[in-house]
């Protein structure tokens, strides 16, 4: 089991939930199950609306380092994955601090997930707690 702590401006305090590795598939799936309002749209790694910062807690080597090709492109376009970080991700299997919740597969490790709300210019964006 993993402890997943969500931290965002819309939460009165951080929320820690228990997640069975792979049980809900993605980090977005865990958020939906526990009604954590991470913004999202496409759920396919193309829009970048579910951008989160993931910090592995503890002293173990990170397990969830695989970054999908769609995620690499979307993170790069959004300025969250520079060439140096991409090189580390691909060459040394090091995690990128920024991920897409719809692409991140939860593993058996404790993590802190930080997210922001989308600007008000995106009113059509669904929220995980509403689905």
């Amino acid at each position: 089991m993993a402890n997943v702590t969500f931290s965002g401006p819309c939460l009165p305090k951080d929320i820690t939930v228990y997640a069975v590795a792979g049980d809900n598939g993605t980090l977005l799936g865990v958020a939906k199950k526990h009604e954590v309002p991470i913004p999202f749209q496409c759920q396919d790694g193309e829009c970048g609306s579910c951008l989160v910062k993931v910090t592995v807690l503890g002293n173990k080597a990170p397990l969830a380092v695989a970054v999908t090709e769609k995620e690499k492109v979307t993170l790069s376009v959004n300025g969250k994955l520079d060439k140096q970080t991409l090189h580390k991700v691909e060459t040394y299997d090091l995690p990128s601090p920024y991920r897409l919740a719809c692409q991140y597969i939860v593993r058996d490790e404790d993590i802190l997930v930080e997210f922001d709300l989308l600007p008000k210019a995106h009113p059509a964006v669904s929220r995980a707690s509403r689905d």
Side-chain angles (χ1 to χ4, degrees):
M1 282 191 106
N3 288 318
V4 179
T5 300
F6 293 96
S7 180
C10 62
L11 301 174
K13 64 179 184 173
D14 291 354
I15 297 172
T16 300
V17 300
Y18 299 103
V20 176
D23 184 39
N24 292 308
T26 66
L27 187 54
L28 184 58
V30 173
K32 285 180 173 183
K33 180 177 180 180
H34 295 283
E35 299 183 355
V36 176
I38 290 179
F40 69 92
Q41 282 183 330
C42 76
Q43 301 181 70
D44 193 36
E46 295 181 2
C47 72
S49 62
C50 64
L51 178 72
V52 295
K53 182 177 181 185
V54 177
T55 305
V56 176
L57 305 174
N59 297 326
K60 290 195 266 182
L63 299 172
V65 295
V67 180
T68 66
E69 291 304 314
K70 284 183 184 180
E71 192 174 13
K72 288 176 190 175
V73 170
T74 303
L75 291 173
S76 295
V77 167
N78 285 290
K80 299 297 183 184
L81 186 63
D82 58 31
K83 288 183 181 183
Q84 182 179 9
T85 305
L86 178 60
H87 176 72
K88 289 178 183 178
V89 166
E90 293 180 333
T91 307
Y92 304 110
D93 252 357
L94 296 175
S96 169
Y98 292 96
R99 300 296 301 267
L100 300 177
C102 70
Q103 300 293 296
Y104 185 96
I105 303 297
V106 177
R107 301 290 185 216
D108 190 16
E109 61 188 348
D110 296 341
I111 57 174
L112 170 65
V113 179
E114 299 171 274
F115 65 95
D116 289 323
L117 295 177
L118 287 178
K120 292 185 181 185
H122 295 43
V125 174
S126 300
R127 302 276 181 212
S129 64
R130 293 185 188 156
D131 260 10

